[in-house]
Amino acid sequence: MTSPIPQYLTALLETVREEESGQVADYIPELASADPNPLGVAMCMVSGRVYAAGDCDVPFTLQSVSKPFVYALALQDRGIDAVMSTVGMEPSGEAFNELSLDEESNRPMNPMINAGAIAVNQLINGEESSVEDRVEVIRGLMSRLAGRELGFNESLCYSELDHADRNLSIAHMLRSYGVIRDAAHDAVLSYTRQCAIETTARDLAAMVATLGNGGVQPLTGERVLDPDVCRLTMAVMSSAGMYDGAGRWMARVGIPAKSGVSGGLIGTLPGQLGLATFSPRLDAEGNSVRGTMIFEKLSEQMGLHLMNPVPVGVHAVRSIKEQGEDTVIVLQGMINFSAAESILHEIFARDFSASRLVLDVTRVVRVDNTGRRLLAASLLRMRRAGYDIAIRDPERRLRDLVLSDGTRAPRVEG
Ligand code: GLU
């Protein structure tokens, strides 16, 4: 038997295939002559399962799709404060290649427009780095995110460099305000090489799923980025990832995303999956026409909107039952703040006749730090209310749970 998901994705591509509006980007000669027809989609779950259809293995250059990943790398290496002093995180509402800076701080508005991305590129590998070393660090990160070695499209890179007047102007502006130190030419060379790294939709789904998975690459299991770096990067994608259409995108599609002029589009739902599409014709805002349609349809048909209310933790208490001398409180699912709140509510709303209360977490899949803290606090209160307490935790989901008075709850087997 086979999963219906690949079939769904194949059928989804057919619903947009006939759409021929939009134009391939024409300001870089090599992109202007690109085949406008490829159409591919890939989905990578945080579990590492990948579903893909159409031209999901056709290589294309990252272009602006590189921006969130290099931003994440800068955050990881330099820390949030250093990055924040170089680039803001407000949507600019302007074209991607606008020559603009924040009026008060003289910083680029955000890392998803070219001014911000050129500045962020300069943060990689230290200020003294050569272009070659900096670019190699970036290529190395992209490869770890993809789970395979990536290379450059050299001819596209040099074609873009021959027509880089706009980005050179931006780099000169950044240098005149002291945002970057390198020569404008070197800054643009480094940024353009970052844009010229080649991937496929299949690679990109895993790369962006890594952000959604809190920094662990779903296929290789390697921790590439820290969770707080991923959270910040996704937050900036959600407010500024879709050129000047970012507000409408979040309302209609609701998936933090980034598009690029070569026709790539990536998006992720935290804790769930990464998505990538490839279709080179772009709308007036510079976003892939058919890629946008695919994202809209996936969001609507598969309920993939970030703002969909997903009840978490309402059924965290599976049962409360008498077992011999004990009352056993059986918990299930993921224990976070909301789940712990509902557990506390169930426990403290009643009086138990048994002398011992057993918290059974055999059916719990994960406990976050808040969940652990609140469970520990509940156990202590139960003990202070006069009950004996114990935990049943054969998989050690609670690890070594220490209560705030320094004691532990005894463990019971079975
Ligand atoms: N390398 C392109 C540029 O800077 C990327 C633009 C984009 O994908 O938005 O013009």
Side-chain angles (χ1 to χ4, degrees):
M1 286 202 294
T2 54
S3 160
I5 298 175
Q7 207 179 343
Y8 165 73
L9 292 179
T10 305
L12 181 61
L13 292 186
E14 293 318 310
T15 65
V16 305
R17 191 177 296 282
E18 300 305 316
E19 177 61 53
E20 290 193 344
S21 63
Q23 306 285 331
V24 295
D26 57 6
Y27 71 102
I28 304 171
E30 286 260 336
L31 281 183
S33 62
D35 177 2
N37 294 316
L39 177 63
V41 61
M43 176 187 278
C44 177
M45 312 306 294
V46 294
S47 64
R49 284 187 289 279
V50 175
Y51 304 98
D55 299 313
C56 53
D57 295 312
V58 171
F60 58 96
T61 52
L62 286 172
Q63 301 301 333
S64 280
V65 167
S66 63
K67 291 171 180 170
F69 299 117
V70 178
Y71 181 59
L73 178 59
L75 288 168
Q76 181 84 26
D77 287 355
R78 302 291 294 264
I80 292 173
D81 292 345
V83 176
M84 279 297 288
S85 65
T86 302
V87 63
M89 42 175 69
E90 293 302 329
S92 70
E94 291 172 339
F96 72 98
N97 56 4
E98 201 57 41
L99 270 143
S100 71
L101 295 175
D102 182 281
E103 277 176 18
E104 274 173 30
S105 66
N106 290 333
R107 291 171 315 175
M109 295 292 281
N110 68 66
M112 303 296 149
I113 53 172
N114 285 11
I118 292 170
V120 168
N121 173 285
Q122 290 294 298
L123 294 175
I124 308 300
N125 205 37
E127 280 182 348
E128 304 301 326
S129 175
S130 67
V131 172
E132 204 175 307
D133 290 348
R134 178 170 292 138
V135 169
E136 187 50 29
V137 170
I138 293 173
R139 192 195 65 81
L141 170 90
M142 299 290 187
S143 300
R144 288 165 69 205
L145 289 168
R148 73 179 181 97
E149 281 306 305
L150 300 176
F152 298 94
N153 182 327
E154 297 292 347
S155 56
L156 190 130
C157 179
Y158 291 102
S159 163
E160 179 163 359
L161 280 172
D162 281 344
H163 296 80
D165 300 313
R166 186 87 192 181
N167 284 338
L168 281 165
S169 325
I170 293 174
H172 281 294
M173 171 187 73
L174 291 172
R175 211 165 110 91
S176 75
Y177 282 97
V179 180
I180 64 172
R181 278 185 26 192
D182 239 357
H185 171 270
D186 284 354
V188 172
L189 173 61
S190 182
Y191 164 73
T192 307
R193 287 193 71 65
Q194 153 190 336
C195 290
I197 294 173
E198 236 173 10
T199 57
T200 64
R202 188 188 293 276
D203 293 325
L204 281 169
M207 293 167 76
V208 72
T210 306
L211 296 179
N213 197 29
V216 175
Q217 211 278 6
L219 305 170
T220 62
E222 185 193 359
R223 170 160 297 285
V224 183
L225 297 164
D226 291 341
D228 50 349
V229 162
C230 294
R231 194 173 51 218
L232 205 57
T233 304
M234 290 187 286
V236 176
M237 284 168 75
S238 69
S239 63
M242 296 300 285
Y243 301 119
D244 41 359
R248 249 171 305 126
W249 174 270
M250 267 322 273
R252 281 183 63 115
V253 180
I255 300 176
K258 184 74 202 90
S259 55
V261 286
S262 54
L265 183 51
I266 59 170
T268 178
L269 282 182
Q272 298 191 53
L273 48 78
L275 285 172
T277 56
F278 175 47
S279 173
R281 285 193 210 91
L282 310 178
D283 63 18
E285 273 150 354
N287 299 316
S288 164
V289 174
R290 293 186 300 185
T292 299
M293 292 170 78
I294 294 171
F295 268 72
E296 280 174 357
K297 287 177 186 241
L298 275 168
S299 168
E300 196 189 316
Q301 295 170 1
M302 296 290 126
L304 296 182
H305 198 295
L306 190 62
M307 300 305 169
N308 280 346
V310 182
V312 179
V314 275
H315 302 298
V317 177
R318 182 182 170 88
S319 62
I320 298 184
K321 53 193 185 195
E322 307 299 323
Q323 251 175 25
E325 305 285 287
D326 296 335
T327 293
V328 182
I329 303 159
V330 182
L331 309 183
Q332 63 185 0
M334 155 84 191
I335 311 293
N336 59 4
F337 173 78
S338 298
E341 183 278 334
S342 88
I343 295 165
L344 267 50
H345 170 77
E346 292 282 333
I347 294 177
F348 294 112
R350 54 178 98 202
D351 285 320
F352 300 98
S353 54
S355 60
R356 186 166 76 158
L357 302 181
V358 180
L359 218 49
D360 182 339
V361 296
T362 314
R363 289 172 178 272
V364 166
V365 285
R366 232 193 101 202
V367 187
D368 74 5
N369 285 338
T370 308
R372 282 164 55 80
R373 278 209 314 274
L374 287 172
L375 288 185
S378 317
L379 284 162
L380 196 59
R381 278 173 186 246
M382 294 191 284
R383 185 195 277 148
R384 288 190 174 148
Y387 299 103
D388 285 335
I389 54 166
I391 52 175
R392 182 176 293 143
D393 183 16
E395 304 279 336
R396 299 193 86 80
R397 296 272 187 257
L398 297 173
R399 288 179 271 155
D400 181 25
L401 191 71
V402 182
L403 312 191
S404 58
D405 64 354
T407 63
R408 291 177 170 74
R411 297 176 165 270
V412 293
E413 304 296 319

